[in-house]
Amino acid sequence: MNTLDDKAIVKDYFNATGFERWRRIYGDGDDVNKVQLDIRKGHQQTVDTVLSWLKEDDNLADISICDAGCGVGSLSIPLAEAGATVFGSDISEKMVGEAKQRAKATLKDDSCVTFAVQDLAALSGKYHTVVCLDVLIHYPQEEAEKMIAHLASLAESRIILSFAPKTLCLTLLKKIGELFPGPSKATRAYQHREAEVIEILQKNGFTIQREGMTSTRFYFSRILEATRTSD
């Protein structure tokens, strides 16, 4: 499959059957099964880790943040609530629509957060921090490298990424899962070697500062924070 196919599949999935599934997972209702509940908890742990990192500097009110692949606003909204100026984008129109609704319902003033339907590769501008959570899993290594390089070009100071790490255990679990396809599952899920992700970041002028790992029964996410290397 080429890049266009991957993007088209992701876009169609999150605008159709995938939207309702992930809207429930990223919500707080009871209409989820045990697997979905586990994924919800794992995703929230990743969001909480990133939030804690960003809040540690105690400067959210002074910085701009790009949340690339914002989904329903799970990270963008609490960042805006904490005072940051946030631009959230997603390839899915339905996801962005849900994010806007949640922002209006949650924030007293939603003027500090903007949501847009946009392909990650088309993002432009400069931001103090660029965050991209649980997006790279949808794309193979070659495309992921291009995405990381582009996101790095937007980040003035820091970039935070999460991805499904490529390990023997997770590779075996993925193969087992592929034997039991479900109608609401995404078509493809890609793992990435941490060393290769770090190498891409270094090639684009960034140095790893912090690492994190979220691991539940059905959700695995490696988190890297990198800052721009001083000249």
Side-chain angles (χ1 to χ4, degrees):
M1 291 288 182
N2 59 37
T3 299
L4 181 60
D5 290 331
D6 280 304
K7 288 184 178 179
I9 288 171
V10 171
K11 182 177 181 179
D12 289 346
Y13 173 73
F14 283 104
N15 274 328
T17 57
F19 170 69
E20 285 300 326
R21 177 181 187 241
W22 289 97
R23 183 185 63 79
R24 293 195 304 272
I25 290 174
Y26 293 154
D28 55 9
D30 297 327
D31 53 342
V32 289
N33 58 40
K34 291 183 179 180
V35 173
Q36 292 170 336
L37 180 60
D38 181 84
I39 294 172
R40 173 191 289 176
K41 292 178 179 178
H43 175 74
Q44 188 59 51
Q45 287 177 29
T46 294
V47 170
D48 289 343
T49 295
V50 173
L51 279 171
S52 68
W53 288 357
L54 292 171
K55 288 180 177 179
E56 278 185 20
D57 292 341
D58 197 26
N59 66 343
L60 282 178
D62 302 319
I63 67 173
S64 60
I65 299 175
C66 175
D67 183 8
C70 65
V72 298
S74 302
L75 177 65
S76 292
I77 294 171
L79 282 176
E81 197 168 28
T85 298
V86 185
F87 176 75
S89 71
D90 200 279
I91 197 172
S92 166
E93 182 178 353
K94 284 195 172 183
M95 285 290 189
V96 169
E98 180 72 13
K100 289 180 178 179
Q101 290 181 19
R102 293 190 182 192
K104 287 183 178 180
T106 303
L107 301 173
K108 293 181 180 179
D109 178 10
D110 63 357
S111 62
C112 56
V113 59
T114 302
F115 292 107
V117 180
Q118 199 164 10
D119 182 350
L120 187 151
L123 291 174
S124 61
K126 292 291 183 181
Y127 305 87
H128 177 279
T129 297
V130 173
V131 184
C132 186
L133 303 183
D134 295 350
V135 172
L136 298 178
I137 191 173
H138 300 296
Y139 299 96
Q141 181 64 25
E142 183 177 354
E143 180 61 18
E145 181 170 358
K146 294 177 183 177
M147 288 180 166
I148 295 171
H150 181 62
L151 292 172
S153 73
L154 307 177
E156 294 178 327
S157 298
R158 174 173 52 196
I159 183 170
I160 299 175
L161 303 172
S162 78
F163 56 94
K166 190 172 182 62
T167 65
L168 178 59
C169 178
L170 293 187
T171 298
L172 290 174
L173 286 174
K174 180 174 180 292
K175 289 186 179 298
I176 292 171
E178 289 171 349
L179 297 175
F180 304 95
S184 64
K185 291 174 66 176
T187 306
R188 286 190 293 272
Y190 297 96
Q191 298 166 272
H192 299 286
R193 291 184 175 86
E194 182 175 348
E196 293 180 355
V197 175
I198 292 175
E199 183 179 0
I200 296 167
L201 288 167
Q202 291 174 337
K203 282 168 55 178
N204 287 277
F206 286 81
T207 302
I208 302 300
Q209 296 298 327
R210 277 184 284 201
E211 303 175 5
M213 181 70 197
T214 302
S215 179
T216 65
R217 292 184 64 190
F218 301 101
Y219 176 96
F220 304 89
S221 184
R222 187 63 165 160
I223 317 166
L224 299 178
E225 177 194 51
T227 56
R228 187 170 289 282
T229 306
S230 301
D231 294 332

